[in-house]
Structures are given as structure tokens and as C-alpha cells.
């Protein structure tokens, strides 16, 4: 399972009403959705995500979310 697939499953379970195939995912999210995503990813991958990571660029698509997680994991090494 790829990072993208793992993230998609995790987020779809937590936020079933969000269209994760949207062209601009960030527009689908309210503040609670953004917070939920940051908390789930932090817990699942053992990374530190902060409010400053909740940018439209980082949360634009599942791909961009996966890239953000991979960057944070690389910073831990």
C-alpha cells in the first residue's frame, strides 16, 4: 500500500462527507476538518504537524498531503 492510499483510507474513514477527489480539497474542508487531518496524520505517522502546515498548498489534494507527510518523515531522519 502506498503512502497516498494509506492516507486516503485514514482520512475517508474520519471524514466521510469530504470529496477527496476534488480538484481543490482545501475548499472542501472547514476548520474542524483541517484539524482532524492534522491530528490523524500526526498520530498515524509520528510526525509533528502544526497550524502553519495547514496551507492550501499542503492540503490541495491527497497527493500534496502525502508529499507533506513524506517531507515531515524525512525531517525526522
Amino acid at each position: 500500500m502506498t503512502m497516498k492510499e494509506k492516507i486516503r483510507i485514514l482520512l475517508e474513514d474520519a471524514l466521510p462527507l469530504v470529496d477527496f477527489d476534488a480538484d481543490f480539497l482545501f475548499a472542501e474542508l472547514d476548520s474542524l476538518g483541517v484539524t482532524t487531518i492534522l491530528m490523524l496524520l500526526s498520530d498515524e505517522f509520528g510526525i509533528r504537524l502544526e497550524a502553519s502546515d495547514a496551507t492550501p498548498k499542503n492540503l490541495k489534494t491527497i497527493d500534496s498531503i502525502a508529499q507533506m507527510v513524506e517531507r515531515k518523515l524525512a525531517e525526522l531522519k
Side-chain angles (χ1 to χ4, degrees), residues 21-67:
D21 293 316
D23 290 335
F24 191 56
L25 176 59
F26 190 79
E28 297 277 316
L29 301 169
D30 58 11
S31 60
L32 183 58
V34 170
T35 302
T36 299
I37 288 173
L38 295 180
M39 288 175 47
L40 285 171
L41 295 175
S42 294
D43 291 346
E44 180 70 20
F45 297 102
I47 56 178
R48 184 175 182 151
L49 293 170
E50 301 176 18
S52 60
D53 294 310
T55 64
K57 179 183 176 188
N58 285 338
L59 300 177
K60 182 177 181 189
T61 63
I62 290 288
D63 286 324
S64 62
I65 292 171
Q67 290 168 0

